Amino acid sequence: MENQKWGFKKNNEVNAAAAIGMRNILETIMRNIDETRTGKAMIHLGHGDPSVYSCFRTSNIVELSLVESIQSANFNCYAPNDGVDPARRAIAEFLSRDLPYKLKTDDIFVTVGAEHGIHVLLQVLASPGANILLPRPNYPTYESRAKLSQLEVRHFDLLPEKGWEVDLDRVKKLADNKTVAIVLINPGNPCGNVYTFEHLKKIAETARQLGIMIISDEVYAHQVFGEKPFVPMGVFGDIVPVVTIGSLSKRWIVPGWRFGWIAITDRNGLLQKTKIVDSIKNCLVMTGEPPTVIQGAVPRIMKDTPDSFFLNINKLLKEAVDMVYEKLKEIQGVDCPHKPEGSMFVMVKLNLSSFVDVVDDTDFCMKLAKEESMILLPGSAVGLKNFVRMSFAAEKKILFCGIGRIKHFCLRHAKH
Ligand SMILES: *Cc1c(COP(=O)(O)O)cnc(C)c1O
């Protein structure tokens, strides 16, 4: 056995790409948690999964839809390649409510969560030499998938002093004839911002000028609780080809169900003509589909989830963010440049000069975990150093307690 040579070895690119993701960083921070030593139960506001709190339970219509789908025995089969037709039609109708035109069944592809949609779109666009424009800060899956697909990444900044709007001058300078797309997340993760109709229109016009398509990640569609209404980028699908990514995970609070979609919101059919749509189909066939029973439940979920369910979730998020924003203001050493108006995250800036022994955002999060049994996500995990990202989709008493821990931590490490 000693002299035996084995031919297998790992592909290092996979590990390098995964290292950019959130999971690795959160696991490292988690290792610092010792609830017995601190005497404090862990508070995890480092990622966004409100489904663990009873006040964020999904609608019973959603639960019933799945039970009915299972009991019908119609959905135990393999799904057709492009997905179950009534599910796609229901999504097309649901999204068309917000658009000045009607989407067709064929404009919708079902995915294993939005995550799968991101992987497929970036893989499809990763032709040799191509580059893509990504926001900074960003949702890390875009970064890791681009790396794995050897798609060159160019970053434009989101501007905190302008409510995290896109730095469009920078976008114009970054793009060249190898640029394929620009990615937007609206409502924003990690910034909790919501873009106005006017800003979205400017982005669309810029993308048209540059001859690139838009990938609009709208997994937090309508999860807004500030002054600004949610406007889907597909509204500008006559100016520029837009592909919209959506999901049940965040709005319906069932992230474990792994169901999302890609919508072709491209009025002039340019993505058809350039065969991008065909490539998306082919890539989906190779990478798998969501369980048929979930697809069977989707028509009823889309048609029957009562507005009161969504309104209540937005109300809970608004109350949470109002409290969190006010309480953070009272803490020396941290600063919140823009109050969130959507999604479930807030970016908090660390003023490192006010601490004696906090080196950077990762150090802050590691020490906070160790001393307070509390988890936040270092901003460097989403591309913005010396910020931390905090989820506010939690029960109010948990948030209240969590903010108290941040306050104690900051006081203990403050320069006097
Ligand atoms: C959570 C999230 C996703 C992934 O959603 P799933 O449907 O659970 O895969 C994609 N994009 C953004 C911006 C997210 O916050």
Side-chain angles (χ1 to χ4, degrees):
M1 280 306 268
E2 300 249 308
N3 299 324
Q4 170 78 48
K5 290 249 192 304
W6 299 103
F8 50 78
K9 62 180 194 257
K10 69 189 192 304
N11 173 358
N12 285 325
E13 300 296 321
V14 172
N15 298 2
I20 306 172
M22 253 175 332
R23 203 164 278 198
N24 280 355
I25 294 163
L26 285 173
E27 277 173 12
T28 312
I29 293 170
M30 196 85 95
R31 277 186 226 117
N32 276 350
I33 299 272
D34 184 345
E35 294 173 320
T36 19
R37 186 172 39 75
T38 58
K40 291 173 179 173
M42 181 174 79
I43 295 183
H44 195 332
L45 302 176
H47 62 187
D49 186 355
S51 68
V52 297
Y53 304 104
S54 58
C55 61
F56 284 102
R57 182 164 171 175
T58 194
S59 159
N60 70 327
I61 296 288
V62 174
E63 296 172 355
L64 284 175
S65 306
L66 184 58
V67 171
E68 271 176 16
S69 169
I70 294 169
Q71 292 187 336
S72 74
N74 287 331
F75 301 103
N76 296 332
C77 51
Y78 284 115
N81 268 343
D82 292 341
V84 170
D85 245 38
R88 299 168 73 206
R89 196 176 324 121
I91 297 165
E93 281 167 14
F94 191 83
L95 297 179
S96 296
R97 292 184 199 170
D98 297 328
L99 297 172
Y101 53 98
K102 289 258 172 288
L103 293 175
K104 299 184 299 294
T105 305
D106 283 346
D107 293 324
I108 307 295
F109 299 101
V110 296
T111 60
V112 186
E115 208 73 9
H116 181 205
I118 298 170
H119 287 288
V120 165
L121 289 175
L122 265 55
Q123 180 66 31
V124 160
L125 293 172
S127 61
N131 68 72
I132 190 164
L133 310 183
L134 299 183
R136 178 172 50 213
N138 190 15
Y139 182 68
T141 298
Y142 290 95
E143 311 283 337
S144 51
R145 180 70 231 188
K147 185 159 174 55
L148 194 57
S149 298
Q150 293 174 308
L151 178 57
E152 183 194 329
V153 167
R154 300 184 180 179
H155 288 111
F156 57 90
D157 288 315
L158 305 182
L159 306 168
E161 66 282 5
K162 288 190 166 173
W164 301 105
E165 279 191 351
V166 171
D167 182 351
L168 281 171
D169 292 334
R170 186 78 190 132
V171 166
K172 286 177 201 156
K173 293 200 184 94
L174 284 174
D176 61 17
N177 60 1
K178 290 293 214 172
T179 306
V180 288
I182 179 171
V183 170
L184 294 179
I185 304 172
N186 181 46
N189 176 6
C191 300
N193 58 299
V194 176
Y195 290 135
T196 61
F197 182 94
E198 290 73 24
H199 189 58
L200 290 171
K201 188 163 183 215
K202 270 192 207 149
I203 297 171
E205 282 163 351
T206 306
R208 184 194 176 99
Q209 222 181 341
L210 299 171
I212 62 178
M213 62 182 272
I214 297 180
I215 296 176
S216 190
D217 184 329
E218 299 177 1
V219 303
Y220 300 99
H222 290 284
Q223 224 157 43
V224 296
F225 29 82
E227 303 287 302
K228 297 174 194 153
F230 165 72
V231 179
M233 194 73 203
V235 164
F236 305 105
D238 56 340
I239 299 180
V240 65
V242 178
V243 177
T244 303
I245 293 178
S247 169
L248 289 186
S249 295
K250 311 295 170 49
R251 275 195 82 200
W252 283 265
I253 329 245
V254 286
W257 288 22
R258 310 310 304 129
F259 185 88
W261 55 85
I262 292 171
I264 310 295
T265 37
D266 165 31
R267 259 205 120 162
N268 302 315
L270 293 164
L271 299 173
Q272 292 278 1
K273 281 181 205 136
T274 50
K275 305 267 191 241
I276 297 276
V277 174
D278 283 338
S279 299
I280 292 172
K281 279 189 209 175
N282 287 332
C283 198
L284 285 167
V285 167
M286 288 187 282
T287 55
E289 61 278 334
T292 318
V293 278
I294 309 278
Q295 299 192 50
V298 163
R300 178 146 188 228
I301 291 174
M302 293 286 152
K303 287 190 191 90
D304 291 353
T305 308
D307 284 344
S308 58
F309 168 74
F310 299 119
L311 289 172
N312 181 52
I313 297 294
N314 286 356
K315 178 170 159 280
L316 289 172
L317 290 171
K318 179 173 173 30
E319 287 167 6
V321 81
D322 284 348
M323 191 266 276
V324 164
Y325 187 71
E326 286 310 310
K327 291 274 162 207
L328 282 171
K329 272 194 206 161
E330 295 167 8
I331 303 178
Q332 291 280 322
V334 304
D335 178 40
C336 177
H338 184 75
K339 184 174 175 181
E341 310 151 283
S343 88
M344 46 179 74
F345 298 104
V346 56
M347 285 294 273
V348 183
K349 195 173 188 318
L350 307 176
N351 301 320
L352 290 174
S353 59
S354 35
F355 301 113
V356 264
D357 58 349
V358 176
V359 187
D360 59 17
D361 53 328
T362 306
D363 193 36
F364 183 95
C365 293
M366 296 290 259
K367 286 177 171 153
L368 183 71
K370 193 165 184 181
E371 297 170 27
E372 300 286 343
S373 294
M374 164 142 183
I375 299 185
L376 296 177
L377 185 73
S380 45
V382 292
L384 202 56
K385 244 184 131 32
N386 299 331
F387 274 78
V388 291
R389 190 195 73 172
M390 175 175 159
S391 162
F392 51 81
E395 263 162 24
K396 245 170 282 167
K397 63 173 192 288
I398 301 264
L399 290 170
F400 195 80
C401 182
I403 301 253
R405 291 187 192 183
I406 299 174
K407 187 169 184 175
H408 281 134
F409 178 87
C410 289
L411 272 174
R412 197 159 54 241
H413 293 270
K415 269 187 192 147
H416 293 292

